Amino acid sequence: FLLGQLRDAFRIGLLILVPFVLIDLLIGNLFALLGVTQVPVQLASLAVKLLLFVSLDGWVLLSKKLLRGVVP
C-alpha cells in the first residue's frame, strides 16, 4: 500500500513539475531573446504559471487525481 501511494505521489509531482519547468525555460529564453535583463525571470514565470494553473482549473484536476488514487 505504501509503495503504491509513493508511486502515485511521484507521478503527480512529475505531472506538476514538468510543465512548470518548461514554462521557466520558455520565459527565460524569451527574455534572453528580447534582451530583457532588468526583470527577474522567476517573477515573470511565476505570473504565467499562476495564470495557467488557474485558467486550467488546476485545483480541480489535482483533487480528482488524488481522489482517484484513494477511492477504488
Side-chain angles (χ1 to χ4, degrees), residues 20-46:
F20 286 168
V21 168
L22 288 176
I23 290 171
D24 278 340
L25 289 174
L26 289 174
I27 297 292
N29 285 334
L30 180 68
F31 276 17
L33 180 70
L34 294 174
V36 180
T37 58
Q38 298 298 321
V39 179
V41 175
Q42 294 85 6
L43 183 66
S45 66
L46 179 65

Side-chain angles (χ1 to χ4, degrees), residues 43-60:
L43 183 66
S45 66
L46 179 65
V48 171
K49 286 187 254 186
L50 287 174
L51 182 65
L52 184 67
F53 191 74
V54 169
S55 67
L56 294 178
D57 266 345
W59 288 116
V60 173

